[in-house]
Amino acid sequence: MEQPTVRQVTDSRVLAALAHPLRRRLMDALKVYGPCTVGMLAEHTGQAPANVSHHLKVLAAADLLVEAPELARDRRERWWKPRNRGVRWSESDFGDDPSTRVVVEAAGSLNLERHTELVRAWHTASDETHAAWNDAPFSTDHWLHLTPDELDALGREVIALLTRWSDRPVPDDGQRREPVFVFAHGVPGRP
């Protein structure tokens, strides 16, 4: 079975659909747990089914989700899955329209907030949880001297590495594997 592609988002309406904290969490839950029903997503996110259903409709209208009718046991049961394996966007794809820029900036800000929220949640986890993972969780940062082309090449290498780990067949060795969130940012900055 061919893996769905990563979608390059160039429509600000699609980006606006993603720029909501719960919709972002729903997309993450579908990536981690695979196709789900509204009830399953409500459980995963701690949200009311009606609220989840509303946000799934917004994501489906933006063509970010599709139904998976092959999983339904009857006509009433509706399963959802992401249309693509992921999405990406570039600020340069959205031009200089002020209203579009607001959407792009909001989506980027929400994305960063979600990343830091997940890392903060790890840092506030119980001592027992930390002990179970030993020294495996990591963080790293480096200051590099790069051209825009070199930063682009580095980004492609990092994405390819994470994609390779994401796409690998999960070994059938009896070990329990938990969802692990990994993110990296590479942006020009000053110390």
Side-chain angles (χ1 to χ4, degrees), residues 139-150:
S139 82
T140 184
D141 59 71
H142 301 269
W143 285 98
L144 308 172
H145 294 265
L146 304 173
T147 67
D149 288 341
E150 290 169 335

Side-chain angles (χ1 to χ4, degrees), residues 25-89:
R25 287 183 62 209
L26 292 169
M27 294 294 289
D28 284 348
L30 289 165
K31 281 185 201 173
V32 170
Y33 302 110
C36 292
T37 63
V38 168
M40 293 165 74
L41 287 167
E43 256 184 61
H44 292 312
T45 60
Q47 297 291 312
N51 194 27
V52 169
S53 182
H54 163 73
H55 289 289
L56 289 177
K57 288 176 186 170
V58 172
L59 291 167
D63 203 29
L64 292 164
L65 298 182
V66 294
E67 285 192 59
E70 67 278 6
L71 300 174
R73 291 174 293 203
D74 60 45
R75 292 185 309 186
R76 293 173 297 168
E77 190 175 63
R78 295 175 76 185
W79 287 74
W80 296 93
K81 63 183 179 181
R83 173 165 301 278
N84 303 95
R85 71 178 303 153
V87 297
R88 69 171 54 113
W89 66 89

